[in-house]
Amino acid sequence: MNAQELYDFTHKYCDENPYYGAQLHFRPQKAPKGCTQSKYNVQKKIEFVQYMHYHADHWRTDALEGFHRKANGMHLKDFLVYVHEQAFMGFKFVKYPITRFLEHDLWDGGYIEGYVRTMTTPDYFFWSYMKSDKLKMILSDYTQELEPLS
């Protein structure tokens, strides 16, 4: 899909499923010659996390403790050490927030929730929240790496 098709998909999905957000998974493209796919994947994943952090209106990190995630206040540079090839990430576009508890639930037009799960021991999560006006920018910058989850 191109950037406009991804944009149309996210809005259509949210309109048809107002209680769910359209989720897009980040998957690096094929590595260029001379670079191993594993090393390339890690490099691109780290760049994506840094991008989401840079554009976030606010963000946080959590650690999985037993069955619960708990905010841990980890800095981005410390979090990036745990990003490896098995880490999974992407974002969810929430056009119609269900609750009104958090700041991003109140933003006009919904919000974008970026997510990263390291899949390490301990397991860490990075959450970024952006106003929905950044959706086209993200889709344009990462058209080839984003895949809709259904």
Side-chain angles (χ1 to χ4, degrees):
M1 285 190 206
N2 65 35
Q4 185 61 49
E5 290 170 331
L6 284 171
Y7 181 82
D8 293 343
F9 163 80
T10 60
H11 281 274
K12 182 180 179 192
Y13 185 91
C14 290
D15 289 341
E16 292 174 355
N17 305 281
Y19 297 111
Y20 302 98
Q23 195 165 338
L24 298 170
H25 181 69
F26 179 82
R27 187 181 318 269
Q29 294 296 297
K30 187 174 181 193
K33 273 193 170 179
C35 184
T36 66
Q37 189 66 48
S38 177
K39 184 176 180 178
Y40 182 77
N41 287 353
V42 172
Q43 174 187 339
K44 288 299 181 185
K45 287 181 176 190
I46 288 172
E47 288 172 8
F48 183 72
V49 175
Q50 291 170 323
Y51 176 93
M52 297 299 277
H53 176 265
Y54 178 79
H55 293 289
D57 292 290
H58 61 88
W59 61 274
R60 74 171 202 272
T61 56
D62 295 341
L64 188 64
E65 295 182 1
F67 295 106
H68 303 284
R69 291 189 311 260
K70 183 177 179 185
N72 66 357
M74 183 184 288
H75 292 282
L76 180 66
K77 66 178 176 52
D78 298 323
F79 179 84
L80 292 175
V81 172
Y82 295 96
V83 175
H84 60 97
E85 192 171 13
Q86 283 71 41
F88 69 88
M89 58 195 62
F91 69 86
K92 180 169 53 169
F93 171 58
V94 180
K95 189 174 181 179
Y96 307 110
I98 297 171
T99 63
R100 298 288 184 199
F101 300 127
L102 303 170
E103 176 187 348
H104 58 267
D105 293 327
L106 303 173
W107 292 338
D108 289 337
Y111 61 90
I112 300 160
E113 177 184 57
Y115 62 87
V116 180
R117 183 173 183 182
T118 61
M119 304 300 289
T120 57
T121 303
D123 201 356
Y124 294 107
F125 296 80
F126 172 82
W127 304 98
S128 56
Y129 297 91
M130 293 166 243
K131 294 180 177 151
S132 61
D133 62 357
K134 296 177 183 170
L135 181 61
K136 280 190 175 184
M137 174 191 69
I138 298 167
L139 296 175
S140 178
D141 291 345
Y142 285 98
T143 302
Q144 301 304 313
E145 290 88 3
L146 293 170
E147 299 175 350
L149 291 179
S150 46

